[in-house]
Amino acid sequence: MVVIKEDTTVLDEEKEKSNSKAKSTAKKRGKKLSTAEEIRFSKNYNRFKDNIFVVFVECESSGNVGFLARAMANFGLENLILINPCNLKEDAYYQAMHAKYIVENAVANTYPNLDDFLKKKEIDFIVGSTGTPGGSYNLSRIPIKPEELGKSINLNKKIALIFGREGNGLYNEEIETCDIIVSIPTEHSYPIMNISHAAAIIFYELFKNRNEFPVEGLEEATRIEKEYLLKDMEDIIKKLNIPEHKEKTGIKSFKNIINRAFITGREAHTLKGILRRILMKFE
């Protein structure tokens, strides 16, 4: 396979012209940004670009890799990760259009399985996507909407957006790995969307909120902090002498609540202290 690198000089010039035009328009409308705002916007843009990883698990069509890369470029994302992909053909590069560089980088960032990627990149927060969300009796698949994700996510953390196979989506064990599930409301008679279409909706919701997130401020609990919380709750539940299936349901429900709440580090420490005191009472 021969990959022809694209000359981005013209694109860079067009981007600079576009930025200059936008600044000129803002100035005419009296919306000139302060130095502090420009710094904040710049930092948010870099965090958005650097900290979000788009992960395509076992893609079955190389053309969809190109379409996904194109959607990423539309919304300023660059980190495409491929997990055990099919052989990428010319259509992966053709469909990417001006986002060929994203496909090229993805080829150099393939992993045999999802766990290897999550450990190597030390991902803090894992977001799974599904077209078949569950109800109250399927705790692993209770989703939030893309809009809710866009308003809540913390760009200070490394975030993985996981997209599954075109035919079967994410398997149950992969869903279990995720901290949260996002699903797009669709017509019930045809609920499954093409991956690039679904991804574009999610990317848009994240993109439109990127400058609303403060660079400094409340820090969301880390993965390790949440794991300690989950372990303490698991120890408490095991002391209640309830049936095993209810133990699993209780632990999963607690995990869902913690992740959907996007708790801060301070809140995690406070809650951990309370759980420890409960454990001490049992002892």
Side-chain angles (χ1 to χ4, degrees):
M1 178 180 67
V2 178
V3 178
I4 301 175
K5 286 190 173 288
E6 183 179 281
D7 185 356
T8 59
T9 303
V10 175
L11 291 176
D12 290 340
E13 289 176 354
E14 290 179 354
K15 184 183 290 187
E16 183 60 34
K17 288 178 182 178
S18 177
N19 289 340
S20 298
K21 185 178 180 181
K23 288 179 181 178
S24 175
T25 301
K27 188 174 181 180
K28 288 178 182 178
R29 294 177 180 174
K31 294 183 179 180
K32 188 176 185 304
L33 297 178
S34 67
T35 302
E37 286 176 322
E38 287 184 350
I39 291 173
R40 180 168 68 86
F41 277 34
S42 176
K43 286 183 177 180
N44 278 331
Y45 173 77
N46 289 333
R47 292 185 307 149
F48 184 83
K49 174 175 62 71
D50 296 336
N51 287 352
I52 295 180
F53 295 82
V54 178
V55 185
F56 196 173
V57 178
E58 296 186 351
C59 60
E60 299 162 3
S61 167
S62 60
N64 275 335
V65 173
F67 285 127
L68 182 58
R70 186 173 179 178
M72 290 173 61
N74 287 149
F75 297 102
L77 296 170
E78 295 184 356
N79 300 321
L80 176 59
I81 305 295
L82 302 177
I83 307 296
N84 190 27
C86 64
N87 291 326
L88 296 193
K89 301 176 182 177
E90 290 183 3
D91 59 345
Y93 300 89
Y94 175 76
Q95 303 295 3
M97 299 295 286
H98 295 303
K100 290 183 178 71
Y101 66 96
I102 293 179
V103 178
E104 292 168 359
N105 291 336
V107 171
N109 283 283
T110 61
Y111 292 82
N113 57 67
L114 186 57
D115 285 342
D116 281 0
F117 158 71
L118 296 174
K119 290 176 182 176
K120 183 170 182 180
K121 291 295 183 180
E122 298 180 333
I123 297 299
D124 296 302
F125 199 75
I126 308 168
V127 181
S129 63
T130 180
T132 53
S136 298
Y137 293 97
N138 191 341
L139 295 177
S140 296
R141 288 182 178 268
I142 295 178
I144 64 171
K145 297 176 182 177
E147 184 178 11
E148 296 173 279
L149 180 69
K151 290 178 179 178
S152 304
I153 209 159
N154 184 349
L155 294 179
N156 284 313
K157 307 295 183 182
K158 287 186 178 180
I159 302 155
L161 302 178
I162 314 293
F163 295 92
R165 305 154 188 84
E166 292 95 323
N168 299 316
L170 294 173
Y171 296 149
N172 286 335
E173 57 268 27
E174 293 162 344
I175 291 288
E176 289 283 349
T177 302
C178 297
D179 293 303
I180 208 165
I181 296 298
V182 62
S183 187
I184 300 167
T186 54
E187 169 58 41
H188 67 86
S189 63
Y190 195 18
I192 307 301
M193 300 180 69
N194 177 277
I195 182 173
S196 61
H197 297 169
I201 291 173
I202 295 172
F203 298 162
Y204 165 71
E205 292 294 344
L206 296 174
F207 181 81
K208 76 177 185 181
N209 287 294
R210 75 193 191 284
N211 285 327
E212 302 303 319
F213 306 129
V215 175
E216 307 294 341
L218 296 176
E219 283 291 328
E220 185 186 336
T222 65
R223 171 168 292 278
I224 293 176
E225 288 171 329
K226 288 186 285 188
E227 285 176 354
Y228 279 132
L229 275 180
L230 188 61
K231 179 63 170 60
D232 285 345
M233 178 56 78
E234 186 176 348
D235 290 341
I236 291 172
I237 290 175
K238 285 182 177 178
K239 291 181 180 295
L240 299 178
N241 296 319
I242 60 178
E244 185 178 350
H245 70 280
K246 289 190 175 182
E247 283 186 7
K248 291 181 179 179
T249 300
I251 294 168
K252 182 59 183 174
S253 296
F254 183 73
K255 180 181 178 182
N256 288 352
I257 291 168
I258 292 298
N259 287 326
R260 282 205 301 272
F262 295 93
I263 66 172
T264 66
R266 181 59 182 267
E267 289 169 334
H269 281 289
T270 301
L271 186 53
K272 181 176 173 55
I274 293 172
L275 296 181
R276 283 296 170 92
R277 286 181 176 273
I278 293 173
L279 278 172
M280 289 170 64
K281 290 291 184 181
F282 276 107
E283 296 170 356

